Amino acid sequence: MIRLGKTAKACIYLLLGFLVWLHIITNFTVKRTDKGQGDDGPGTAKGLVGSTGSDVRSGTPGFINVPEPKLLSEEEIKLVSEKVADMNLEQKIYNEEKFGPVTEDSFVLVIQVHTRVEYLTLLIESLSHVQLIENALVIFSHDVYVPELNEAIQKIDFTRVMQIFYPTSIQLNPNTFPGESPDDCQRDISPVKARRMKCRNADHPDGYGHYREARYTQTKHHWWWKANFIFSNISALQNYSGVVTFLEEDHYVTPDSLWVLNLMETLMTRNLCKGCNLLSLGTYLKTWNIRSAHDSAIITNWVSSKHNMGMAFNRTMWTNMKSCSKAFCLYDDYNWDWSLLEMSYNCLKVPLTVLYAKAPRIFHIGDCGVHHKKKTCDPATAAAGIDKAVTQHQSLLFPDTLSIEVLNGKKLRLKKGNGGWGDIRDHELCLSF
């Protein structure tokens, strides 16, 4: 028998103590990130941009080749309306047989989709490289029905997928509200002239004297309908109490976006984020600060122009928002995020307080769209730049914990909205959801 001296025994006891501590910490980490953590764990080549081998996912099957949506005939509108109603009722989850049903530990992501297929292609490609994406349900919420796009989305194989359709879209109502009726007032006609001409909405210009434009009002309608539908009508989520994360087609995410989201959600559910009621995957920065802030998060008052990317909230927060429907639907602003800010300041008992990743795990690559008028749009170059930065800083992704910084931001003065939302018909439709 080998006899050990006191020094050797002490070393062994220290080693055993360290192993016990390591076991506890490891178990805590797994519990904290147990929304589908794979056997490989975080930060491996699996799931990172540029990884190769047998784990390569198909990602985006032929999206770029999807044709532009065409104007529908009356007969086609009738058929598509019926199809949309059926799909919204069926709520089919693709790949459920592969990944199992949605559970309390699943992630739920919702993407608002219009017609920018190239942007959507890049977003889906980035999602295909996200660690834990196999434990998500990705809901595509459309305001345009394109069979070829539907087919491509339904072929996504790396996660659960569902499609829902905004039923009162311009596509299905091209010549009547909420599209543009022939007797609607033109945007820039003066209210005096509008009343003299007796156009339909002459008595309801916005705060700047302009009349509604359907292509702008649809975005806000779609967002509010989508949130209502997800929390109230999707049967697979009736017992789901986790956060729902809202994305748009021109976003792009990092491989550890769900990992970081889960860390933030854990802090929120354990009341460790000083009253935060909203999460965000990041804010808008000119330079990615991943080196200095890879494991940091900030708590501050929610501001629409800063914290609207990858925004996530749970059913409790939605119930509070829903109680302030009038603040959202009557506010003269065609932007859903600025309308939420109005709700936060002037209706919610507790204003929106956000916990967001200081080093963003989400990026906006949309140079062209509703708010962007650049003549040349190159989202692929923007995405490639993000991929390059992610590859360079792989070792800084997947932090074990997040340190929290409290930032007391200045409250914006909301005098009046950005307009575009003065028509009483928009108010009534919004409230009807």
Side-chain angles (χ1 to χ4, degrees):
M1 179 183 294
I2 299 175
R3 296 185 179 273
L4 299 174
K6 291 182 178 181
T7 301
K9 287 182 178 180
C11 291
I12 290 174
Y13 290 146
L14 284 172
L15 178 60
L16 289 173
F18 172 77
L19 291 174
V20 170
W21 173 84
L22 182 62
H23 176 73
I24 293 172
I25 291 297
T26 302
N27 283 344
F28 175 74
T29 301
V30 170
K31 289 179 181 178
R32 185 185 56 213
T33 57
D34 61 359
K35 287 193 173 186
Q37 179 176 325
D39 294 335
D40 294 332
T44 62
K46 178 180 178 180
L48 292 180
V49 173
S51 63
T52 58
S54 60
D55 190 58
V56 172
R57 293 144 169 164
S58 65
T60 54
F63 277 68
I64 294 296
N65 297 320
V66 171
E68 288 290 319
K70 63 177 183 177
L71 290 176
L72 304 179
S73 66
E74 289 187 12
E75 182 62 27
E76 288 172 326
I77 289 174
K78 181 180 178 181
L79 293 173
V80 171
S81 296
E82 293 174 353
K83 184 64 176 177
V84 162
D86 289 342
M87 293 181 73
N88 283 347
L89 184 64
E90 182 184 13
Q91 300 169 17
K92 179 177 176 61
I93 299 178
Y94 296 89
N95 301 320
E96 188 174 30
E97 71 288 346
K98 181 178 181 180
F99 299 108
V102 175
T103 70
E104 188 66 17
D105 292 327
S106 300
F107 296 95
V108 178
L109 310 177
V110 187
I111 304 171
Q112 184 157 322
V113 181
H114 185 49
T115 60
R116 293 183 292 170
V117 177
E118 184 176 3
Y119 287 96
L120 181 63
T121 300
L122 293 166
L123 170 60
I124 295 173
E125 183 63 29
S126 72
L127 285 170
S128 74
H129 296 292
V130 171
Q131 188 85 18
L132 309 178
I133 193 63
E134 66 277 1
N135 197 33
L137 168 63
V138 180
I139 303 173
F140 293 83
S141 184
H142 302 263
D143 55 35
V144 175
Y145 184 94
V146 181
E148 294 87 352
L149 178 58
N150 298 340
E151 182 180 355
I153 286 175
Q154 291 161 16
K155 288 181 179 178
I156 291 172
D157 65 354
F158 58 81
T159 190
R160 304 176 190 86
V161 169
M162 179 188 292
Q163 287 182 284
I164 59 176
F165 292 84
Y166 172 53
T168 49
S169 66
I170 297 172
Q171 184 191 37
L172 301 180
N173 300 273
N175 300 311
T176 185
F177 180 86
E180 294 186 0
S181 303
D183 58 348
D184 280 349
C185 302
Q186 295 300 306
R187 177 190 183 273
D188 293 324
I189 192 174
S190 72
V192 173
K193 188 174 182 180
R195 293 186 182 97
R196 188 165 61 244
M197 294 176 60
K198 297 182 179 180
C199 47
R200 178 185 292 268
N201 48 333
D203 292 331
H204 303 290
D206 66 16
Y208 301 89
H210 300 300
Y211 293 96
R212 76 184 297 271
E213 292 178 277
R215 67 191 183 102
Y216 291 112
T217 60
Q218 176 170 264
T219 303
K220 179 173 173 177
H221 280 308
H222 185 177
W223 194 93
W224 191 244
W225 172 85
K226 171 188 66 181
N228 274 276
F229 191 85
I230 286 165
F231 284 106
S232 301
N233 293 88
I234 294 185
S235 57
L237 301 179
Q238 288 301 300
N239 298 317
Y240 183 76
S241 61
V243 299
V244 175
T245 304
F246 291 79
L247 305 173
E248 297 186 16
E249 61 188 8
D250 58 359
H251 289 162
Y252 198 83
V253 296
T254 64
D256 67 339
S257 53
L258 291 184
W259 180 273
V260 171
L261 177 69
N262 195 32
L263 291 176
M264 293 193 295
E265 184 179 3
T266 300
L267 291 169
M268 184 170 70
T269 55
R270 294 182 181 179
N271 297 316
L272 298 176
C273 65
K274 304 184 186 299
C276 70
N277 48 26
L278 208 64
L279 306 176
S280 173
L281 286 171
T283 188
Y284 301 88
L285 298 177
K286 293 182 178 179
T287 303
W288 196 28
N289 57 346
I290 190 67
R291 288 184 179 179
S292 61
H294 70 282
D295 59 354
S296 299
I298 292 178
I299 300 171
T300 190
N301 56 297
W302 185 82
V303 177
S304 56
S305 58
K306 295 181 179 180
H307 312 123
N308 59 3
M309 289 194 300
M311 194 175 73
F313 52 87
N314 59 25
R315 188 179 301 277
T316 299
M317 186 66 246
W318 169 248
T319 300
N320 295 334
M321 290 179 175
K322 181 70 173 175
S323 69
C324 289
S325 294
K326 286 187 176 181
F328 182 91
C329 290
L330 302 184
Y331 186 56
D332 186 14
D333 198 312
Y334 67 92
N335 297 288
W336 63 265
D337 47 359
W338 283 93
S339 300
L340 283 184
L341 191 62
E342 162 69 12
M343 174 195 294
S344 175
Y345 283 178
N346 296 313
C347 183
L348 291 175
K349 293 180 179 179
V350 179
L352 297 176
T353 302
V354 65
L355 174 66
Y356 71 91
K358 187 174 182 178
R361 266 52 177 200
I362 188 169
F363 301 91
H364 180 254
I365 59 172
D367 291 328
C368 295
V370 173
H371 300 96
H372 303 274
K373 306 300 180 184
K374 288 181 67 174
K375 293 183 179 180
T376 57
C377 306
D378 192 5
T381 298
I386 296 168
D387 289 348
K388 182 178 179 180
V390 165
T391 301
Q392 290 174 341
H393 302 293
Q394 284 188 19
S395 63
L396 297 177
L397 302 181
F398 301 97
D400 290 329
T401 59
L402 292 175
S403 61
I404 297 178
E405 174 185 343
V406 179
L407 180 63
N408 295 318
K410 294 182 179 180
K411 184 176 179 179
L412 296 180
R413 293 183 180 180
L414 287 180
K415 294 181 179 180
K416 64 177 182 178
N418 293 299
W421 196 265
D423 198 309
I424 193 172
R425 294 173 297 173
D426 285 314
H427 302 169
E428 293 170 348
L429 176 61
C430 181
L431 289 170
S432 73
F433 298 144

